[in-house]
Amino acid sequence: MIKTYGLLIIFLLVSSITSMTTFAKTEQGSAVNAPSHSTPQTILVLGDSLSAGYGIPIEHAWVTLLAQKIAQQYPKNNNSYHVQNASISGETTDGGLRALPSLLKKYQPSVVIIELGANDGLRGFPLNTIAQNLSALIELAQAENAKVLLTGIHIPPNYGQRYANAFHQTYHALAKRYQTALVPFLLEGIATKPELMQADRLHPKAEAQETIKNIVWQQLEPLLKH
């Protein structure tokens, strides 16, 4: 009788351990196989009229096309991204500095595309001021652990070729200094083709937006893989 009772206790203990192990495996498996519902990461575009779709329908602007491209590349159930366009026509680096802190707080972006400086250059702002403002924009974004993509631009030599060259070189110098991604020239292959530019010869037509999107995507995509 005692032997039988002892065997019964052993049987119950083994059964209990087996059940606990099975439960643990089931719980572990459900966690591993659980669908991902991660919150989309934000890509913030801080720009001027070149990113705000000046003179064209906004649905044709390169930022809109970029958002569509990203939605295709990164489905909602797999680390998706949301593009937030905070670009304003006529914006300067100084205006961007006033706007960026609140934008960073509101959207907490993982990537910030800085497309500013063209209006500064067209107005002949001091190069040191432009560089300082762009530096501050980069530092603000990086301080919030956001990756930065800086987009360079050429301006007409209204203030002399020396000024125009130094202006463009500012983007390269800052990208090197802060180790940011860089689009050397946002309107590469576009600005020199009148058929792709609006009458003011400063803003690209709708037909050029796909090309701009591809230029940006080439430098942006590596930032989304890490």
Side-chain angles (χ1 to χ4, degrees):
M1 183 69 178
I2 295 176
K3 180 184 292 186
T4 302
Y5 184 71
L7 289 174
L8 179 60
I9 292 176
I10 293 173
F11 173 77
L12 290 174
L13 286 171
V14 171
S15 298
S16 177
I17 292 171
T18 302
S19 298
M20 291 175 65
T21 302
T22 303
F23 177 76
K25 288 182 178 178
T26 301
E27 287 296 297
Q28 183 180 19
S30 63
V32 171
N33 297 325
S36 173
H37 296 289
S38 58
T39 302
Q41 300 179 67
T42 299
I43 298 171
L44 177 66
V45 182
L46 185 69
D48 49 37
S49 56
L50 295 177
S51 299
Y54 176 87
I56 63 174
I58 192 62
E59 61 268 22
H60 296 160
W62 72 264
V63 177
T64 302
L65 300 180
L66 179 68
Q68 295 170 356
K69 172 74 173 179
I70 291 173
Q72 294 172 355
Q73 292 287 118
Y74 298 90
K76 290 184 178 180
N77 63 347
N78 183 24
N79 297 324
S80 60
Y81 291 89
H82 166 71
V83 177
Q84 182 64 44
N85 192 2
S87 302
I88 301 173
S89 292
E91 188 67 286
T92 62
T93 56
D94 186 61
L97 268 178
R98 290 192 296 270
L100 186 56
S102 61
L103 291 170
L104 291 172
K105 182 178 180 180
K106 181 176 181 179
Y107 297 110
Q108 299 179 352
S110 58
V111 178
V112 177
I113 300 176
I114 299 176
E115 185 277 297
L116 288 173
N119 289 309
D120 302 58
L122 290 173
R123 299 174 189 179
F125 289 2
L127 293 174
N128 286 341
T129 300
I130 299 173
Q132 289 172 3
N133 288 347
L134 287 172
S135 294
L137 288 168
I138 294 171
E139 290 175 2
L140 282 171
Q142 291 183 337
E144 297 299 323
N145 298 315
K147 298 176 183 177
V148 173
L149 172 57
L150 189 62
T151 66
I153 195 73
H154 282 289
I155 57 172
N158 297 348
Y159 301 98
Q161 194 61 53
R162 183 177 179 181
Y163 178 90
N165 290 343
F167 169 84
H168 180 67
Q169 187 56 37
T170 297
Y171 293 95
H172 291 265
L174 292 177
K176 183 177 180 180
R177 176 182 175 185
Y178 290 101
Q179 297 296 297
T180 74
L182 173 69
V183 171
F185 182 27
L186 187 65
L187 303 183
E188 183 68 45
I190 297 171
T192 56
K193 296 180 179 179
E195 66 272 19
L196 294 179
M197 299 297 291
Q198 297 181 39
D200 60 11
R201 296 190 178 184
L202 295 174
H203 298 93
K205 294 180 178 179
E207 292 82 355
Q209 301 299 311
E210 181 72 17
T211 298
I212 299 173
K213 181 264 290 182
N214 291 336
I215 290 172
V216 173
W217 177 248
Q218 186 176 6
Q219 302 302 325
L220 176 63
E221 184 181 19
L223 301 182
L224 307 184
K225 292 181 178 179
H226 303 287

